[in-house]
Amino acid sequence: MLTKETKPHIQELSVKTTIISRYAFTAVSCTMLNRHSAAAEGVFQFLIPKNAYVSNFTMIIGGRVYPSEVRPKEKKVKQGKGGEAKPKNKEKGEQSEPEVEVFRMGASIPGRNRAMFMLTYEELLQRRLGRYEHVTSLRPLQLVSRLSVDVTIVDHSTITHLEVLPLRNGKSNTPALPVSTVIKQNKTFCRITFSPNIVQQAKITTSGMLGEFVVHYDVERELGIGDIQVLNGHFVHYFAPKDLPVVPKNVVFVIDTSASMLGTKIRQTKDALFTILRDLRPDDRFNFVSFSNRIKVWQPNRLVPVTPLNVRDAKKFIYMLQPTGGTDINGGIQTGSSLLSDYLNADPDANHHSVSLIIFLTDGRPTVGELQSPSILSNARTAVKEQFCVFTIGMGNDVDYRLLERMALENCGMMRRIHEDSDASTMLKGFYDEIGTPLLSDIRVNYTEDSVQYVTQHLFTNYFNGSEIVIAGKLTNQSADSLHVQVTASNSDKSIVLETDVALRQREVETERHVKEAAAGVGSGDTGRVWGFLSVKEGLRSRLKSQTSKEREGHTQQATDLSLTYHFLTPLTSLVVEKPQMLADGTMAEDTPTPTPVTTETNKKAASANELSDETEGEEDTAQSLHLKKDQPGKVVKRPVQKSITISKTSADGDPHFVVEFPLSKLTVCFNINGEPGHILRMVSDHKHSGVTVNGKLIGAPAPAGSHKQQRTYFSTITIVVNRPKRSYIEVTPKKVILDGQDRLVLSCDTTVSVESGGLVVTIVGKSTVTVTIGGTISFVILVHQYKNPAPHQRNHLGFYISNSKGLSHDCHGLLGQFLYEEVGLAELSGNATATGDNSTSARSPILKVKGRSVPVVQKTRRIYSGRQSVDCWFARNNAAKLIDGQYEDYVVSHLFDTGDWPHGSNGA
């Protein structure tokens, strides 16, 4: 362990979560400072929910970026058989077993330097007891200068029962909100922030073990088929019916009473069972079995109804349970199964509309009777015969959780873990509450056969009140107008059928709109990732249930391939990251075999006058790739070459002033757009061909004193939507860049960094420029204008420049895009003067000929590149009337990620 004196200090810990329709994306950013001259080990450790998957991890140390790569886990080979040695400067970041909760990574931080650790993980929130729970663990092990948690919830259904719990740390007994918590909420949107300062943290604890920040919520539901969301060729179906009559249940409790249960465990188990007895319904049937090295049955050969007398006798049986002897797991499950099976077979018709289940609890491993797990599992399957479900509970640290999980999965149940130091009584009762109120059984969900493929689990044995069934799949025919959905199930007294036709286009528009509402967060909201997440979970369950090695290998390969596709860290994959090597003087070795360092601050010097640093010309010269290409693992990318190029003058900058360069005609034209604050303008529209769209959002500011204008407008946000090879979104503001492609990254405009994702390269020169290169043939440069002390008429804003348009098609449109391949001519329109004499020119006004239209122009001078270059241009008045196709209003779009095509023909002369 590092001593306090040398341990790096955590300057900032930021945890941002965006929950879009119950799928949560979380981005953790941790900045550590090594105050000492010698290198020190910085350890980043973060607890993630057990159902979540890590999807990205990146370190920035000493100005260099160290990306991670998800790889298949190497098969263990026997000693002497060879195999690839693990490079000494690489480390695997793996989630710890058995809870798969702790992500841990250590790296050397150079003396007097900083390190930033960035982790993202994803999870589909599970609905339990009528609510969703999102948990953020805050255990930095020290007080943090800047600590913040930000949870944004977006749903197209109304958000209900929102609750922020007191910090869950075993200490707080007050029902109050955690200090500094702020909640902002409307019908379908909610944002919760928690940002305690150091003093507020110290009042909670000085150890840095703040606890868990917990948010509960639910959403309103319509009766019927459920909620179906459609986006990018995938669908997700959420089904959670309510207000149904409760289905009677037949339940056998099988309880471990071996010697290891002595003391707190048996006492808490008894307390929970007494409470459960009170909650049994009059139509239920029940029995108890206890097992150690002896098996005891409360009511042999039968299940009894819930009557006051039976409940009283059951309490006596529970009270008299005395832990002793060994653990006969096989005997316990066989006896309980026989009881339930015999009861069901005695009168099959009477039990047609009921749900049958075994609740099996143990704190240990088999020590008596059958000891081999495969035999125990096989015997359980034979005894159960798919007639009922087995729900297993493991208590403490000495449990064979793999055995219990397989037993539950193979018999349509669930497994729950109860830690040694947990309140077992409360957790047992909570687990029973989840499964104690069945509303439906034998649920089958069907979709139009030729319209869907790769549908996740769509047959379910039971639906319990307060839970939710989630199904995802791929749409085979994305042009189809509707999808037929049918749900069949049984409830307490009859079979039910629900069916409807879902309007796919309408659902996709609704889903896309709500995704865009959350665009400032960290999640993509892509239903494809929900499908990927569920498919990986299903593959891992199928692998665990496999009966043959061939079947197991098939499920293993499928789950591994999906994990790699979605960059998920799962039990079948590992996360490998390069690490810096330190010299004896505490500095980093120059020859460290890392991917390329990020662009240094000296690159800014190249951006002078009309020349901008060519940091993105061609893939060979790109700076650090945050995600190593799978077909080129570990490829070292070259350092950016310090060469300069002259970029196009075609741009929209300032107030905003548009400049269009016509190289073929050797002319430059300029115009102003007097837009309204809040308007979003289409700048480049080539969605059908190159797949690229650029939009810009205007903000307003008062005009300077003496100006003829009433107000000024600037671009506050510029978005670039790329549709090929994969759909990606880039959102740029003066403060940050959000890249939402293969993964989601949020980068500060104050830093200097370059990242690559799915054919896109985004290069930021801190507080100066953002360059976006698409496929090496399209480049846009966005100038970042920030003011330290802005005047009343000034706003932080952006300028947009087209650097390389080779990849844009001849059908490209938009306020700038429509001119990329046009030629224009300049003529003079004669007035009343005679044609003789030199003075005749005074009566002639210049006319620009563009697309057969005549546009009156005057000569002006414009300054571009933050005033570093002057451009002589021909200025078209009146909001570019006749110069642009159509009218200004035709270029105003509905939202920042709108990719609609140009709807009109050309404007006549």
Side-chain angles (χ1 to χ4, degrees):
M1 291 292 290
L2 294 166
T3 63
K4 255 185 181 176
E5 289 72 28
T6 60
K7 188 177 179 181
H9 170 65
I10 298 178
Q11 287 187 309
E12 182 172 9
L13 178 63
S14 164
V15 187
K16 292 187 177 181
T17 298
T18 303
I19 304 170
I20 305 175
S21 297
R22 296 144 246 187
Y23 192 70
F25 299 80
T26 300
V28 183
S29 175
C30 177
T31 303
M32 293 186 189
L33 172 65
N34 178 12
R35 295 191 176 100
H36 304 277
S37 56
E41 180 82 358
V43 178
F44 170 72
Q45 182 169 298
F46 198 83
L47 272 69
I48 68 169
K50 64 183 179 184
N51 288 317
Y53 289 143
V54 167
S55 54
N56 188 33
F57 177 71
T58 301
M59 300 186 297
I60 302 178
I61 301 175
R64 299 178 187 172
V65 178
Y66 298 86
S68 64
E69 183 184 7
V70 173
R71 295 180 182 173
K73 267 192 180 171
E74 295 176 6
K75 290 183 179 178
K76 292 179 181 176
V77 289
K78 292 179 182 177
Q79 200 168 1
K81 294 287 185 182
E84 209 172 314
K86 178 181 170 184
K88 64 181 180 180
N89 65 316
K90 290 193 176 184
E91 181 163 315
K92 290 187 178 181
E94 298 181 17
Q95 297 166 320
S96 63
E97 292 290 346
E99 280 285 354
V100 197
E101 280 185 331
V102 182
F103 182 94
R104 187 178 187 276
M105 179 66 71
S108 293
I109 304 174
R112 305 195 188 285
N113 222 313
R114 286 182 175 82
M116 180 183 285
F117 301 90
M118 294 177 287
L119 173 75
T120 63
Y121 60 85
E122 305 172 21
E123 67 170 321
L124 179 64
L125 299 185
Q126 295 179 333
R127 187 168 184 256
R128 290 175 175 163
L129 302 175
R131 68 192 180 203
Y132 303 98
E133 178 178 271
H134 182 266
V135 178
T136 304
S137 179
L138 296 172
R139 291 175 170 83
L141 304 179
Q142 57 179 271
L143 297 175
V144 179
S145 302
R146 296 187 299 278
L147 174 67
S148 64
V149 176
D150 188 319
V151 180
T152 299
I153 304 170
V154 180
D155 211 292
H156 77 279
S157 301
T158 301
I159 297 170
T160 63
H161 302 97
L162 179 71
E163 182 184 13
V164 179
L165 275 60
L167 285 175
R168 191 186 284 168
N169 53 19
K171 299 176 183 177
S172 175
N173 295 316
T174 60
L177 282 176
V179 63
S180 81
T181 301
V182 177
I183 302 174
K184 295 179 180 177
Q185 182 183 10
N186 62 28
K187 196 173 180 183
T188 59
F189 177 92
C190 170
R191 185 180 181 196
I192 303 157
T193 56
F194 172 61
S195 50
N197 57 36
I198 282 188
V199 174
Q200 291 168 328
Q201 293 172 49
K203 285 182 179 178
I204 300 168
T205 176
T206 55
S207 68
M209 301 287 282
L210 293 171
E212 294 174 332
F213 185 78
V214 184
V215 177
H216 286 169
Y217 76 99
D218 198 18
V219 296
E220 278 188 5
R221 296 162 208 285
E222 296 179 6
L223 295 176
I225 209 77
D227 173 20
I228 295 182
Q229 299 179 17
V230 179
L231 193 64
N232 296 341
H234 293 80
F235 74 89
V236 181
H237 184 183
Y238 300 92
F239 182 60
K242 59 180 182 178
D243 301 329
L244 294 171
V246 176
V247 179
K249 63 181 176 291
N250 311 307
V251 57
V252 176
F253 298 89
V254 182
I255 309 300
D256 185 347
T257 55
S258 61
S260 58
M261 288 286 289
L262 195 64
T264 303
K265 288 180 185 175
I266 195 68
R267 178 176 54 77
Q268 291 184 329
T269 300
K270 289 180 178 181
D271 288 346
L273 291 175
F274 290 148
T275 307
I276 289 168
L277 275 172
R278 289 201 302 269
D279 290 346
L280 289 172
R281 292 181 171 81
D283 292 337
D284 293 342
R285 299 266 174 166
F286 72 108
N287 204 339
F288 286 91
V289 175
S290 68
F291 69 94
S292 53
N293 50 356
R294 294 177 56 202
I295 311 293
K296 293 181 181 178
V297 180
W298 169 51
Q299 296 283 348
N301 305 318
R302 62 180 184 146
L303 267 67
V304 301
V306 178
T307 64
L309 184 61
N310 285 337
V311 170
R312 189 190 67 187
D313 288 348
K315 285 182 177 178
K316 286 182 185 176
F317 176 80
I318 294 167
Y319 181 78
M320 296 300 293
L321 292 176
Q322 295 296 325
T324 182
T327 308
D328 186 0
I329 287 178
N330 185 70
I333 195 69
Q334 291 295 305
T335 304
S337 298
S338 296
L339 264 177
L340 193 49
S341 182
D342 291 346
Y343 172 76
L344 295 175
N345 293 331
D347 191 357
D349 292 335
N351 297 296
H352 181 61
H353 291 292
S354 64
V355 167
S356 301
L357 48 100
I358 285 179
I359 297 178
F360 181 90
L361 181 146
T362 182
D363 76 329
R365 301 169 183 271
T367 62
V368 176
E370 180 59 65
L371 303 182
Q372 299 301 314
S373 293
S375 298
I376 295 172
L377 292 169
S378 176
N379 293 341
R381 286 194 305 273
T382 303
V384 172
K385 300 173 189 170
E386 298 185 354
Q387 296 179 96
F388 45 85
C389 298
V390 178
F391 294 84
T392 59
I393 303 166
M395 296 178 68
N397 299 328
D398 192 38
V399 180
D400 186 346
Y401 283 113
R402 190 177 182 82
L403 171 64
L404 295 187
E405 187 172 20
R406 283 198 65 173
M407 187 183 292
L409 284 177
E410 291 178 1
N411 299 287
C412 69
M414 295 186 295
M415 187 267 289
R416 188 61 48 85
R417 305 175 184 194
I418 299 178
H419 292 293
E420 196 78 50
D421 55 353
S422 300
D423 181 352
S425 179
T426 301
M427 293 190 72
L428 278 170
K429 180 59 173 60
F431 184 56
Y432 174 79
D433 287 345
E434 287 182 42
I435 61 176
T437 311
L439 299 184
L440 294 174
S441 61
D442 301 321
I443 304 103
R444 175 185 291 270
V445 185
N446 294 318
Y447 307 93
T448 313
E449 273 190 32
D450 57 351
S451 296
V452 298
Q453 62 181 350
Y454 304 121
V455 177
T456 57
Q457 179 185 352
H458 60 105
L459 302 174
F460 301 88
T461 308
N462 300 304
Y463 166 74
F464 298 104
N465 188 41
S467 66
E468 184 172 56
I469 288 172
V470 184
I471 306 163
K474 289 187 176 183
L475 297 169
T476 54
N477 182 9
Q478 294 189 44
S479 61
D481 292 329
S482 65
L483 177 69
H484 186 74
V485 184
Q486 181 190 66
V487 179
T488 61
S490 298
N491 68 359
S492 58
D493 57 356
K494 60 185 176 182
S495 296
I496 61 171
V497 179
L498 303 169
E499 52 188 322
T500 190
D501 289 313
V502 176
L504 293 176
R505 300 275 176 83
Q506 179 188 342
R507 292 297 172 99
E508 180 149 26
V509 169
E510 289 174 0
T511 305
E512 199 160 24
R513 178 165 57 85
H514 285 91
V515 168
K516 299 305 175 291
E517 285 180 13
V522 296
S524 72
D526 188 349
T527 54
R529 294 197 72 81
V530 183
W531 174 83
F533 183 92
L534 287 172
S535 297
V536 170
K537 291 280 186 190
E538 192 170 292
L540 292 172
R541 285 197 299 268
S542 299
R543 173 178 177 265
L544 196 59
K545 291 192 294 183
S546 300
Q547 302 302 315
T548 66
S549 59
K550 186 176 180 181
E551 188 183 354
R552 179 182 171 85
E553 282 176 16
H555 291 308
T556 299
Q557 190 61 51
Q558 180 190 23
T560 301
D561 290 345
L562 281 167
S563 299
L564 296 175
T565 299
Y566 289 93
H567 209 262
F568 286 152
L569 177 58
T570 69
L572 301 178
T573 56
S574 58
L575 199 70
V576 179
V577 59
E578 299 275 5
K579 297 177 70 180
Q581 292 178 337
M582 294 295 133
L583 298 176
D585 62 359
T587 61
M588 290 168 60
E590 285 297 324
D591 59 349
T592 304
T594 64
T596 306
V598 299
T599 313
T600 60
E601 288 294 310
T602 56
N603 290 135
K604 292 182 182 178
K605 296 175 183 176
S608 61
N610 64 330
E611 296 180 336
L612 294 179
S613 175
D614 180 25
E615 294 161 333
T616 57
E617 186 181 274
E619 195 168 339
E620 290 268 298
D621 297 332
T622 58
Q624 171 61 48
S625 164
L626 268 182
H627 303 283
L628 296 178
K629 301 176 181 67
K630 293 184 177 66
D631 57 342
Q632 295 173 317
K635 174 186 175 186
V636 177
V637 188
K638 294 179 185 176
R639 186 186 295 270
V641 176
Q642 287 287 343
K643 59 183 177 180
S644 297
I645 58 169
T646 302
I647 69 167
S648 166
K649 303 181 186 76
T650 301
S651 60
D653 204 346
D655 184 12
H657 302 310
F658 288 76
V659 176
V660 179
E661 186 176 30
F662 295 90
L664 297 175
S665 308
K666 297 183 179 178
L667 285 174
T668 302
V669 177
C670 48
F671 58 93
N672 291 349
I673 291 293
N674 297 318
E676 292 295 324
H679 276 185
I680 299 166
L681 306 184
R682 171 84 80 245
M683 315 279 278
V684 176
S685 177
D686 199 29
H687 184 70
K688 273 191 176 178
H689 302 282
S690 66
V692 174
T693 304
V694 182
N695 299 322
K697 184 176 183 179
L698 297 175
I699 55 168
S707 172
H708 65 281
K709 292 184 177 182
Q710 291 187 341
Q711 67 174 355
R712 284 188 165 192
T713 52
Y714 302 94
F715 283 118
S716 64
T717 308
I718 290 173
T719 55
I720 302 170
V721 182
V722 182
N723 211 35
R724 298 184 186 91
K726 290 186 176 179
R727 193 169 180 88
S728 302
Y729 304 92
I730 302 164
E731 181 178 347
V732 183
T733 71
K735 293 293 184 184
K736 65 183 176 182
V737 178
I738 301 172
L739 169 57
D740 189 352
Q742 187 174 347
D743 297 286
R744 188 172 180 91
L745 298 170
V746 181
L747 306 168
S748 170
C749 286
D750 295 343
T751 61
T752 297
V753 67
S754 185
V755 300
E756 185 272 339
S757 175
L760 291 175
V761 180
V762 178
T763 303
I764 303 173
V765 176
K767 299 183 180 179
S768 178
T769 62
V770 178
T771 303
V772 178
T773 301
I774 303 158
T777 59
I778 301 171
S779 289
F780 304 123
V781 178
I782 299 168
L783 266 59
V784 178
H785 301 283
Q786 296 182 1
Y787 299 96
K788 284 187 178 179
N789 299 297
H793 62 274
Q794 292 176 323
R795 295 289 185 271
N796 289 345
H797 65 280
L798 303 170
F800 175 75
Y801 293 76
I802 298 178
S803 171
N804 182 357
S805 60
K806 289 176 185 175
L808 294 170
S809 77
H810 284 256
D811 292 322
C812 185
H813 212 274
L815 284 168
L816 290 175
Q818 63 186 295
F819 300 115
L820 293 176
Y821 295 97
E822 290 296 329
E823 291 189 51
V824 296
L826 197 62
E828 290 182 338
L829 185 66
S830 298
N832 296 324
T834 63
T836 60
D838 293 337
N839 292 334
S840 63
T841 56
S842 63
R844 298 169 184 240
S845 59
I847 291 293
L848 194 71
K849 292 287 189 178
V850 55
K851 300 184 182 182
R853 301 188 291 264
S854 297
V855 185
V857 291
V858 296
Q859 198 155 21
K860 278 201 174 188
T861 299
R862 280 279 159 84
R863 300 187 72 81
I864 58 175
Y865 308 138
S866 301
R868 290 184 295 220
Q869 185 186 355
S870 295
V871 176
D872 293 326
C873 59
W874 294 98
F875 179 73
R877 296 188 179 92
N878 302 325
N879 259 10
K882 292 193 175 182
L883 175 66
I884 59 174
D885 294 336
Q887 308 297 327
Y888 157 76
E889 290 77 9
D890 297 326
Y891 298 86
V892 178
V893 298
S894 60
H895 58 80
L896 276 167
F897 297 92
D898 190 321
T899 57
D901 297 313
W902 171 249
H904 307 290
S906 295
N907 187 25

